Amino acid sequence: MGIKKGNVTIYDVAREAGVSMATVSRVVNGNPNVKPATRKKVLDVIQRIGYRPNAVARGLASKKTTTVGVVIPDISNPLYAELARGIEDIATMYHYNIILCNSDLKEAKELQLIETLLEKQVDGLLFLGSEITEEHRKIFQATSVPVVLAASQDDQGELPYVNIDHVAAAKEATNVLIKEGHQKIAYIGTSLTNTVQGLPRFRGYQAALEENGIPFDENLVRIGNGRYSSGYEAMKELLDKDDSISAVFVATDEMAVGAIHAVQDHALNVPDQVSVIGCNNIPIASQVRPLLSTVSVPLYDIGAVAMRLLTKYMNNEEIQTGQVILEYDLELRDSTRLKNSDLA
Amino acid sequence: MGIKKGNVTIYDVAREAGVSMATVSRVVNGNPNVKPATRKKVLDVIQRIGYRPNAVARGLASKKTTTVGVVIPDISNPLYAELARGIEDIATMYHYNIILCNSDLKEAKELQLIETLLEKQVDGLLFLGSEITEEHRKIFQATSVPVVLAASQDDQGELPYVNIDHVAAAKEATNVLIKEGHQKIAYIGTSLTNTVQGLPRFRGYQAALEENGIPFDENLVRIGNGRYSSGYEAMKELLDKDDSISAVFVATDEMAVGAIHAVQDHALNVPDQVSVIGCNNIPIASQVRPLLSTVSVPLYDIGAVAMRLLTKYMNNEEIQTGQVILEYDLELRDSTRLKNSDLA
DNA sequence: CTGTTAGCGCTTTCAC
DNA sequence: GTGAAAGCGCTAACAG
């Protein structure tokens, strides 16, 4: 029907409707300063000739793309998938789109991704990763694009972030084990060079022991990569060396489930002979038997709140505080003997 | 130091380097028609004044954004998260970025998302969903932007897609149960109005029964939403009604794990008294005890191949066939009694 | 309430 | 090998 697909511009609409481009732009953007009759006329033409606004042109002219960049370690990890969902939901709510990039926690990749995102003129950046290095900081500081960290933080800098108190969470989890009466409590965590999760959770574990006068024993500590098999292997090693271990705090749920299976393969029962508590509360925690006791981290909310915070920055709104710490919960299920009600 | 952040343009570089914008553009884009000395001079200036190309402007001028839109049901579902990872990896490999949108399988949302993505001038579209309706088809046909379906297909249309043969997969899974000698085989699936997964898998189950002379009994069929609890509930109902059921094919792994737990809660053993086989082979299948037997669907590959196919379309390459069916595997573990080796 | 007119920052012929 | 100039499609003053 003479409709050149993908080539209909605002100019065509203007011509067909007998108005100026400015007027078409106004109706497209919902500007109220248009006479209803004119608006209808324009809308009709738009409908008829199948006009679709070009967001790239709009972005160039208005210097706003309504898209934000998200750098995330690995979307196939349930932990981050949940965070991503929170991010995307709020982004959608505020009419932003998300450019999603996996960094695999590799600094070089992270930096390169940020660079690309900035080239694409994103209105804001959400960064989820481990460490903020000098390199990160340099690039964040040099840009006027607002950046918010999610599930991470930067204590030396003044970057806004949304996170939980990992030290406190780990401490509380360990305390559950201590309250159960255990003295030999192992720890399976992630890399201690990771200052945003690995280290703080380890510190929390140590702090709990110390506060309860339980001597720290480095032989009871194992480091994995956060995934199932590394948790299994770690627990197996631990038990092979010393099967009198009666409790373990595992810093991620996936590893915790692996640890449970290692215990079972050692012909020991969870929680009767070994108590296991995890951290994060990803879906699998409530999809295994015994149900995993864990620290419930509000993953979705962290993503959602971080995105919400970013919209405020992008909108130049007044910000109370850019550093927000969300609450976590203890979710005591069947891999430990204490129950939530016992703590009441 | 006089560096206006975010405002350095190609023009500034040209002026500083004493060359034209065209030349700067050439070096930035790796055009070989530039004298090495000139190239170096320009590169130095770029480095010195901190020039970052504006991809939006480039997109407007070149009509290419090097970004593709991805409409996916729910990124927090492990199934789609895995697909997304495959998509993103290949996209990165070909220097594309991904705009990720969750549709929750709602048609209205899907259509709206596609519209938005098209406005943003994506170079291609990857669509993962359930059904392709007339509405979808209309909009896909009206655009010159290439579209590829992933983990889905459109038999009435000629849209390119990457998928597996769900009927065959379901049939094969059911056959495992039949070969084990079961006669009373239940089915827990997803909505039969979903013609891309729900229906075909159900058809495969029926076909297997029929080919083996086992009468179909609708009392043995339950429909869930694909997630853990619905699998649990479905199996519980089934067993409450008739606890002589000795095998069940569950169309998704998450539901299958739920089903296993329902069986166990019924004081029955898996696989001794009830065999359970799932489908998809998401991570949880190998993170529960008993290890779930399942149909291994190459999720990552479906995403990767679909993205690769899309790059070919975007690049106007010669395409052999736009409809690709990937192979699946049987992964027999501990929730069934037959083993892969038994089938050799 | 509506039109005119500059750009936004870059690519892309087309000359030289 | 390099430059000049014309857009790409839209927004944003600024008039009127």
Side-chain angles (χ1 to χ4, degrees):
Chain A
M1 318 309 206
I3 299 177
K4 304 165 294 178
K5 59 177 169 182
N7 277 325
V8 185
T9 74
I10 200 173
Y11 176 76
D12 299 321
V13 178
R15 187 169 31 68
E16 285 291 313
V19 300
S20 72
M21 284 166 55
T23 298
V24 178
S25 176
R26 289 194 186 93
V27 348
V28 168
N29 292 293
N31 183 318
N33 292 116
V34 181
K35 206 193 326 180
T38 312
R39 175 185 309 280
K40 179 171 184 345
K41 193 169 54 180
V42 172
L43 252 16
D44 285 348
V45 173
I46 287 180
Q47 174 72 29
R48 180 159 59 75
I49 70 179
Y51 167 68
R52 173 182 295 139
N54 181 325
V56 171
R58 172 185 292 164
L60 183 59
S62 69
K63 297 177 171 311
K64 286 204 190 64
T65 55
T66 62
T67 109
V68 324
V70 177
V71 176
I72 204 167
D74 176 12
I75 194 65
S76 70
N77 183 327
L79 177 69
Y80 295 113
E82 193 65 28
L83 277 156
R85 189 64 219 256
I87 291 169
E88 220 267 333
D89 281 357
I90 303 303
T92 299
M93 188 173 298
Y94 286 87
H95 305 293
Y96 283 96
N97 285 110
I98 261 7
I99 295 184
L100 205 281
C101 308
N102 294 103
S103 70
D104 288 315
L105 246 27
K106 307 245 178 65
E107 187 186 352
K109 209 167 168 188
E110 289 174 350
L111 296 172
Q112 196 259 89
L113 253 19
I114 293 168
E115 193 61 38
T116 302
L117 258 7
L118 256 16
E119 285 186 4
K120 296 223 166 169
Q121 311 300 119
V122 293
D123 293 339
L125 211 46
L126 229 39
F127 184 82
L128 327 219
S130 50
E131 215 119 352
I132 301 301
T133 66
E134 266 318 312
E135 297 298 312
H136 290 91
R137 218 169 277 121
K138 198 188 301 172
I139 183 167
F140 288 156
Q141 270 160 1
T143 179
S144 55
V145 174
V147 177
V148 171
L149 309 181
S152 174
Q153 64 195 69
D154 175 35
D155 298 308
Q156 296 123 277
E158 58 297 302
L159 285 169
Y161 63 77
V162 178
N163 202 7
I164 64 154
D165 184 339
H166 292 284
V167 177
K171 197 159 115 181
E172 201 158 329
T174 308
N175 272 332
V176 169
L177 270 13
I178 294 174
K179 280 199 195 108
E180 275 189 351
H182 300 284
Q183 286 288 317
K184 206 166 215 169
I185 302 173
Y187 174 79
I188 299 177
T190 53
S191 174
L192 300 180
T193 61
N194 174 336
T195 58
V196 26
Q197 294 212 3
L199 224 216
R201 288 185 178 178
F202 175 65
R203 290 271 179 256
Y205 160 76
Q206 280 189 308
L209 295 187
E210 191 175 329
E211 287 178 16
N212 288 275
I214 299 177
F216 168 70
D217 177 356
E218 62 177 340
N219 292 314
L220 298 181
V221 173
R222 283 294 177 286
I223 301 300
N225 66 7
R227 309 309 296 255
Y228 178 87
S229 358
S230 78
Y232 183 92
E233 291 305 328
M235 194 65 203
K236 186 173 182 307
E237 272 181 47
L238 247 16
L239 256 17
D240 282 345
K241 254 192 158 176
D242 176 357
D243 62 6
S244 70
I245 289 170
S246 67
V248 57
F249 166 47
V250 192
T252 77
D253 289 338
E254 244 187 70
M255 291 201 298
V257 173
I260 288 179
H261 292 157
V263 170
Q264 292 172 160
D265 285 355
H266 226 88
L268 258 21
N269 177 283
V270 174
D272 293 341
Q273 295 165 83
V274 181
S275 284
V276 178
I277 187 164
C279 193
N280 285 344
N281 197 25
I282 60 173
I284 197 183
S286 41
Q287 298 176 172
V288 291
R289 300 294 180 88
L291 260 22
L292 182 69
S293 291
T294 189
V295 178
S296 179
V297 176
L299 300 168
Y300 180 94
D301 292 348
I302 291 177
V305 171
M307 184 65 218
R308 176 64 184 110
L309 184 56
L310 185 58
T311 64
K312 288 184 184 169
Y313 279 106
M314 295 188 292
N315 221 26
N316 291 309
E317 290 179 31
E318 201 61 47
I319 314 277
Q320 312 286 339
T321 165
Q323 342 257 83
V324 7
I325 295 291
L326 260 25
E327 292 302 311
Y328 54 83
D329 268 315
L330 229 33
E331 195 69 57
L332 300 183
R333 297 193 270 235
D334 305 338
S335 66
T336 50
R337 278 170 290 138
L338 237 46
K339 293 296 163 236
N340 276 317
S341 51
D342 299 338
L343 301 174
Chain B
M1 316 313 203
I3 298 177
K4 303 167 294 179
K5 59 176 170 182
N7 277 325
V8 186
T9 75
I10 200 172
Y11 175 75
D12 299 320
V13 177
R15 188 170 29 70
E16 285 291 313
V19 299
S20 72
M21 286 165 54
T23 298
V24 177
S25 175
R26 289 193 184 93
V27 349
V28 167
N29 292 294
N31 184 317
N33 292 115
V34 180
K35 206 189 333 176
T38 312
R39 176 184 308 282
K40 180 174 183 340
K41 194 169 53 180
V42 172
L43 253 15
D44 285 348
V45 173
I46 287 179
Q47 174 71 31
R48 180 159 59 76
I49 71 179
Y51 167 67
R52 174 183 295 139
N54 180 325
V56 172
R58 171 184 293 164
L60 183 59
S62 70
K63 295 175 171 311
K64 286 202 190 66
T65 55
T66 64
T67 108
V68 324
V70 177
V71 175
I72 203 167
D74 176 12
I75 195 62
S76 70
N77 184 328
L79 176 70
Y80 294 113
E82 193 66 27
L83 277 156
R85 189 63 218 254
I87 291 169
E88 220 267 333
D89 280 358
I90 303 304
T92 299
M93 187 174 299
Y94 286 88
H95 304 293
Y96 283 96
N97 285 110
I98 258 12
I99 296 184
L100 204 281
C101 309
N102 295 102
S103 71
D104 288 314
L105 246 28
K106 307 246 178 62
E107 187 186 352
K109 210 168 168 188
E110 289 173 350
L111 297 172
Q112 195 259 90
L113 254 16
I114 294 168
E115 193 60 39
T116 302
L117 258 7
L118 256 16
E119 286 186 4
K120 296 223 167 170
Q121 312 300 119
V122 293
D123 293 340
L125 212 46
L126 229 40
F127 184 82
L128 329 217
S130 50
E131 216 121 352
I132 301 300
T133 66
E134 266 318 312
E135 297 298 312
H136 289 92
R137 218 170 277 121
K138 196 187 303 172
I139 183 167
F140 288 157
Q141 270 159 0
T143 179
S144 55
V145 173
V147 177
V148 171
L149 310 181
S152 175
Q153 63 195 66
D154 175 35
D155 298 307
Q156 296 124 276
E158 57 298 302
L159 285 169
Y161 62 77
V162 178
N163 201 7
I164 64 155
D165 184 339
H166 292 284
V167 177
K171 197 159 115 181
E172 200 157 330
T174 309
N175 272 332
V176 169
L177 270 12
I178 294 174
K179 280 199 195 108
E180 275 189 352
H182 300 284
Q183 287 288 317
K184 204 166 215 168
I185 302 174
Y187 174 78
I188 299 177
T190 53
S191 174
L192 300 180
T193 60
N194 175 336
T195 59
V196 25
Q197 293 213 4
L199 223 216
R201 289 184 178 179
F202 175 65
R203 290 270 178 258
Y205 160 77
Q206 279 188 309
L209 296 187
E210 191 174 329
E211 286 177 18
N212 288 276
I214 299 177
F216 168 70
D217 177 357
E218 62 177 341
N219 291 315
L220 298 181
V221 173
R222 281 295 176 286
I223 300 300
N225 65 8
R227 308 310 294 255
Y228 177 87
S229 358
S230 78
Y232 181 93
E233 292 305 328
M235 193 66 203
K236 185 172 183 306
E237 272 182 46
L238 248 16
L239 256 16
D240 281 345
K241 253 192 161 178
D242 177 356
D243 62 5
S244 70
I245 290 170
S246 67
V248 57
F249 166 47
V250 191
T252 77
D253 289 339
E254 241 186 73
M255 289 201 298
V257 172
I260 288 180
H261 292 156
V263 171
Q264 293 173 159
D265 285 354
H266 227 87
L268 259 21
N269 178 284
V270 175
D272 294 340
Q273 295 164 86
V274 181
S275 284
V276 178
I277 186 164
C279 192
N280 286 343
N281 197 24
I282 60 172
I284 196 182
S286 41
Q287 297 177 171
V288 291
R289 298 296 180 86
L291 259 22
L292 182 70
S293 291
T294 189
V295 178
S296 179
V297 177
L299 301 168
Y300 181 94
D301 293 349
I302 291 177
V305 171
M307 184 66 219
R308 176 65 184 110
L309 183 57
L310 185 57
T311 65
K312 288 185 183 170
Y313 279 106
M314 294 188 293
N315 221 24
N316 290 310
E317 289 179 33
E318 201 60 48
I319 314 279
Q320 312 286 339
T321 165
Q323 342 256 85
V324 8
I325 295 292
L326 261 24
E327 291 302 311
Y328 55 82
D329 267 315
L330 229 32
E331 195 69 58
L332 300 183
R333 297 192 271 236
D334 306 338
S335 66
T336 50
R337 276 170 290 139
L338 238 45
K339 292 297 162 235
N340 277 317
S341 52
D342 298 338
L343 302 175

